Amino acid sequence: MADAKAWLARNAKKLRRARLPLLALLGLGAVEYVLERDLPPAPVKRHIRLRENSPFANEIRFSWDKAIPIRAGMNVDSLKGESGYVFRTDEHGFIMPAKIYDDPDLSLVFLGGSTIKCNYVEEESRFPYRAGLLLGRRLGKKINSYNAGVRANNSMHSLTILLNKVVPLQPDMVVMMHAINDVNILLFEDTYWNEHHTRSLIVAETQDVGRFTRLFEATMETFLPGFARRLRIGEAFGENADEFAETRGHKNVNTNLGTEGFEANLRSFIAVCRTRNIEPALMTQFNLLTEKPHKAITKAMKKLREDWGVDYAAYKRIYDRFNEATRKVAREHHVFLIDLDVLVPKEKKYFIDVVHLNTEGSKLVADIVASELAKNNEVQRLLATHTSATKPLALQELP
Amino acid sequence: MTDKPNWFERHSKKTLFLVVAVFIIFALGFTEYLLEQGLPQQPVTRSIRLKEHTPLTHGVHAASKRGLKMRGGVAVDNLEETDYLFRTDEQGFIMPSKVHETPDLSMVFLGGSTTECNFVEEESRFPYLSGVLLGQKLGKKINSYNSGVSGNNTMHCLDLLLNKVLAMRPDIVLLMENFNDVNILLFTGSYWNDHGSRSLLVTSDRGKGRGQRLWEAFTETVFPGISYRLHSSILGGRNLDEFARERTSGAVSEAITSQDYEANLVNFVQICNARGIMPVLMTQFNRFSATPDDLTKKAMRKFGRDWGVDYGTYKGYLDSFNDVAREVATEHNGLLIDLDKQVPKNNAYIYDVVHINTEGSKLVASLIAEQLAQSVEVQNLLRAKNQSLSEK
C-alpha cells in the first residue's frame, strides 16, 4: 500500500501529463460503446467473380508447376525445367502477346479454360496467339488475337467475361472452347450456381474473415508485405492447390449428367455475339480420351474412380456428350465449328495430360485453327473489306 | 567506481530484453527484405459489380422533402412523407419475396429504382403485389421476387439474370428499365464505363493505398460504431449525387444511340429462351407528356442546366428507348406490357418524373397481373407445369 502511494508520489508529474489523453481515450471508448448499440450487422457485400488472369502479370512458371503433369504421369520430359515458361498479361488481363497491331484488319478473342490458356507452352507458341499470327501471314493481313483463357473457367464464366469485358473491345470474332471444366463442375457441384470457393459465380466479400483477421492482414500488408504475400502465395500455391478437396471421396456423382445447361450457355454465347455484330465460333475440345486409354491416362483416371466413383469409360461417355453438344448447337445455329476433338490426333506427343497441350501440340492446333479460320466466310468477308498492304509471308519464315 | 555496479549490471534484465528485441526486429526486417526480393507486383484483382441489395437488410426509407433534395434536387409532389419499411431476404430480394414454399409459379422483376419502389408501402410494391393479384386471378400460389436496385441499367440486369436469377429457375422474368440506360449513356457514353458506382468492372480495394486500407481496417475493427455512424450520416450524405463528377464536368453533347440497349434487350429475351424461361418486356412509365406539367418542367430545367439536354431531346431518347422495347418484343414474340402507354402521366400515380407512389404501384400491379393472366404463354406455362406434375 505504501509502495503504491510512493509510486504515485514519484510519478505525479507523469500522471498529470497522462490525464488528458487518458480522459480522451475514455471518452472515445464511451462514445464507441453508445454507438455500438443497435448497430446493424456488417453488411454482406457480394460481387460476381471475374475469372480473368490478373492484369499486368509478368512471371515465369517454374518447375514446381510441373506438379500437375507429374500427377497425371504424363510427358514431363517434354516440359522445360528450370527456365520455365514466360507468362505475361496486358492491362485487360489478356495473355500476351495480345494487341500487337494498333490498327488490325481483324481481331479475334479466344474464350475458354486452361486448355486455351496454355500454361506449359512457350509464349509465342500458345495457339490462340499463334493461330492469329499464322492466319495473318497466310492472308497478308494484320490480326490481333487475344487469349482470354483462364484455368478452370467454364462456359458460364466465359459468358460473363464476354458480356462485361470482351464486347466493349468490339472484336470481329470470338472463338469459344469448353468441355472438361463444365463436365467437372457439373459432376462435382451439380450446378454452375454453386458455392465452390474458387469457381462459384457469386462471391461474398466478407466471407469467413473476422474483423480482427482483417486488421491483422492490413497491418501485415502495410508493414511486412513480403511475409504477407509469400504466405498467401504459399497457401494458395497457385495452380497446384486441390480445389475439390472438400468434395473428394463423395462417390455419388451423377453419371447421367445432361448437357442442357451447357447447351443453354452456348446458345446464350451465340446470342450475345450476334446481337453485337461479333461472329461467334465454337470449338470442340482436343483430348487424349481414346477408346483404349494410354497407360499414363489410365493411371491418372484411376484417381478419378477412387475419388468420385466414375470410371474411365463413364467419364469418357459424359465428356464426349459435351463435345457432341457443341457440334449440335453449332449445327442448329449455323455457327462456325472447328472440330478439334476430331482434328487433333489423340497422340501422347502433343499432350502433357488428358487435355493440356505441350508446345508441339499447341503449334499443331495453331496450324489447324488458322487453316480452318481461313475457310470462314465471315473472316474472308471482313478481310476483303480491309485493304492492308502487308505482304503475305511464307509459312517457313515462322519461328 | 568499482564497488558500484555498472549500468549493465544494474539493468541486466532490461539489457537482455533490449538485445533480444533488437535482434528480433533486425531478423524480421532482414527476412522481410529477403522476401520482398523478386516479389511479383501486387496483382490487380477485379470483379464484376453485382448490383443487388445487401442481403438481410432491415430498415426504412424515410421520405422527406429535405432528404429527397439531397439526391440531386429532385422535384417531388404527391408523395406521402413517411417511413417506408424496407427489408431484403437472404438473397437480397426485396421482401416479401418467397411467400410460398412450393409455388405453382415464380417470377422475378429486374430493373432499377422504378422497380425497387423505395417510397411505396411494402405490400403495395408492384413486383410483389402483381404476384399476389395474379395468384388470385389464377387461383395459384405465386412467388414474385423484386430485384430492382436504384441505378441498375439493362447491363446490370443481364449480369444479375445470368449469375443470380437463372439459378432460381423462375418461370417468368420481367424487365423494365430505360431511364438508367439513357442516363448512363448520356453521362458516361457507354455501359462499359469507369463510373464509381455504376461501372460493370470493379478493381478491388488493393488499388487503395496501404495506409488507407490499414486505417479503414483499424477504424472498422476498433471503432465499428463510430465509423459506421460517420459513414451512414455525414460521409454518406455527401455521396448521394452519384453523378457529381460528371455533372461538374459540363454538358453532354453527343447524341446517344439505342444500339447497345437493343442488344441488351435481345440478349435478355434470348438468354431466357435458352433456359425455358418466359421473358416479359415492359416499357417504362413516366411523366414525360407532350406538354409537360409544372413539376416536370422544373425538374427538367435543372437537368437541362446540368447536362445541356433540353426537354424535347431527353423525351425523344426515352420514347425511342421505349420503342426499342416494343420492337424487340414484337420481333422475338415476347410478351410486352406497355406501361408507358397504360400508366397516366400525372401526379396521381407518379411523384416525380419517373417514380411511382403507392397508388401508382397498385395500378401498375393490377395492369401487370391482368395482362399476365390473359397471356397465352402463361396459360401454356401452367398447362406444361401441370402436365409435368401429373407425370411425376
Side-chain angles (χ1 to χ4, degrees), chain A residues 264 268 271, chain B residues 108 110 158 161-162 165-166 170-175 265-281:
Chain A
S268 304
Chain B
V108 179
L110 293 170
L158 279 183
L161 175 68
L162 277 174
V165 173
L166 289 184
D171 300 293
I172 306 172
V173 181
L174 304 93
L175 171 66
L265 295 191
V266 173
N267 287 165
F268 163 74
V269 171
Q270 289 169 324
I271 290 170
C272 286
N273 284 341
R275 302 272 167 185
I277 296 168
M278 174 184 167
V280 178
L281 287 171

Side-chain angles (χ1 to χ4, degrees), chain B residues 150-376:
Chain B
S150 104
N152 276 12
N153 61 48
T154 51
M155 266 305 293
H156 298 126
C157 292
L158 279 183
D159 274 329
L160 279 167
L161 175 68
L162 277 174
N163 293 286
K164 189 173 154 179
V165 173
L166 289 184
M168 303 158 65
R169 297 174 169 275
D171 300 293
I172 306 172
V173 181
L174 304 93
L175 171 66
M176 172 182 77
E177 193 48 62
N178 86 2
F179 263 86
N180 290 328
D181 289 69
V182 168
N183 288 349
I184 204 72
L185 293 174
L186 266 181
F187 303 161
T188 71
S190 165
Y191 289 107
W192 295 273
N193 52 67
D194 60 357
H195 187 269
S197 55
R198 301 199 184 184
S199 66
L200 301 173
L201 298 188
V202 186
T203 304
S204 81
D205 69 352
R206 300 216 178 281
K208 286 182 190 167
R210 281 178 182 180
Q212 192 188 350
R213 278 191 296 132
L214 180 61
W215 172 247
E216 279 175 13
F218 175 74
T219 51
E220 278 168 37
T221 308
V222 186
F223 297 113
I226 295 174
S227 91
Y228 172 80
R229 309 284 168 180
L230 270 179
H231 273 281
S232 60
S233 58
I234 306 162
L235 299 176
R238 227 192 278 158
N239 298 328
L240 276 178
D241 179 8
E242 284 189 74
F243 289 102
R245 190 180 70 174
E246 289 80 2
R247 211 179 286 276
T248 51
S249 72
V252 288
S253 51
E254 280 177 62
I256 57 169
T257 71
S258 55
Q259 200 183 334
D260 285 332
Y261 179 69
E262 183 177 345
N264 289 352
L265 295 191
V266 173
N267 287 165
F268 163 74
V269 171
Q270 289 169 324
I271 290 170
C272 286
N273 284 341
R275 302 272 167 185
I277 296 168
M278 174 184 167
V280 178
L281 287 171
M282 305 198 290
T283 56
Q284 184 150 36
F285 43 75
N286 60 72
R287 256 168 86 168
F288 287 79
S289 52
T291 47
D293 56 37
D294 287 345
L295 176 124
T296 313
K297 257 192 244 169
K298 194 177 141 202
M300 291 315 288
R301 257 203 306 275
K302 173 157 173 35
F303 192 88
R305 274 200 305 276
D306 285 347
W307 305 105
V309 179
D310 62 22
Y311 181 84
T313 313
Y314 192 73
K315 180 176 166 12
Y317 288 142
L318 294 178
D319 289 347
S320 70
F321 275 50
N322 272 334
D323 279 341
V324 167
R326 294 183 186 105
E327 282 159 26
V328 170
T330 314
E331 275 170 33
H332 294 266
N333 302 317
L335 178 64
L336 177 86
I337 299 180
D338 205 340
L339 296 174
D340 173 38
K341 288 199 173 132
Q342 293 164 2
V343 179
K345 298 181 186 312
N346 62 48
N347 69 359
Y349 304 108
I350 304 177
Y351 68 77
D352 59 7
V353 292
V354 273
H355 298 98
I356 42 180
N357 56 22
T358 299
E359 274 315 299
S361 187
K362 284 180 179 166
L363 172 71
V364 170
S366 67
L367 288 168
I368 294 171
E370 204 173 304
Q371 285 161 87
L372 284 179
Q374 286 168 0
S375 127
V376 185

Side-chain angles (χ1 to χ4, degrees), chain A residues 95-297:
Chain A
I95 299 166
M96 286 170 73
K99 188 179 179 178
I100 50 173
Y101 299 108
D102 276 328
D103 55 337
D105 299 315
L106 188 83
S107 57
L108 308 168
V109 176
F110 285 81
L111 287 174
S114 55
T115 49
I116 290 280
K117 186 184 179 192
C118 295
N119 243 347
Y120 307 105
V121 171
E122 282 171 60
E123 198 170 42
E124 306 259 319
S125 301
R126 294 198 174 107
F127 79 83
Y129 165 72
R130 192 177 160 92
L133 192 78
L134 290 173
L135 182 65
R137 296 208 173 166
R138 181 174 299 201
L139 303 170
K141 300 286 177 181
K142 290 182 280 186
I143 296 179
N144 282 343
S145 185
Y146 297 86
N147 181 345
V150 177
R151 180 183 154 272
N153 273 12
N154 61 49
S155 55
M156 267 305 293
H157 298 127
S158 288
L159 196 50
T160 312
I161 292 168
L162 174 67
L163 262 178
N164 292 284
K165 194 176 137 174
V166 174
V167 164
L169 293 175
Q170 301 186 297
D172 298 296
M173 186 183 225
V174 178
V175 186
M176 187 164 87
M177 174 174 81
H178 278 295
I180 197 158
N181 291 332
D182 288 68
V183 169
N184 288 349
I185 202 72
L186 293 174
L187 266 184
F188 304 155
E189 297 282 330
D190 287 327
T191 168
Y192 293 109
W193 297 275
N194 52 66
E195 291 176 2
H196 190 270
H197 65 289
T198 56
R199 303 194 186 188
S200 68
L201 303 173
I202 292 178
V203 189
E205 285 168 22
T206 47
Q207 219 170 28
D208 299 328
V209 178
R211 276 188 191 176
F212 287 96
T213 317
R214 206 185 140 199
L215 181 59
F216 176 73
E217 278 174 1
T219 313
M220 287 288 284
E221 278 282 324
T222 310
F223 297 110
L224 301 169
F227 274 99
R229 303 266 307 282
R230 298 283 173 189
L231 274 175
R232 221 172 28 239
I233 291 169
E235 161 194 314
F237 215 62
E239 314 277 305
N240 296 332
D242 180 3
E243 288 184 275
F244 289 104
E246 280 171 33
T247 42
R248 211 173 280 282
H250 297 192
K251 299 191 178 185
N252 54 353
V253 294
N254 173 19
T255 48
N256 291 320
L257 196 64
T259 55
E260 304 82 13
F262 179 59
E263 285 176 36
N265 287 349
L266 298 183
R267 288 181 220 282
S268 304
F269 161 77
I270 296 165
V272 171
C273 286
R274 286 192 168 153
T275 53
R276 319 272 168 178
N277 293 320
I278 298 168
E279 169 84 349
L282 289 171
M283 307 199 292
T284 56
Q285 192 170 47
F286 40 75
N287 61 79
L288 253 186
L289 293 167
T290 45
E291 265 333 305
K292 267 193 177 164
H294 289 276
K295 220 159 139 196
I297 298 290

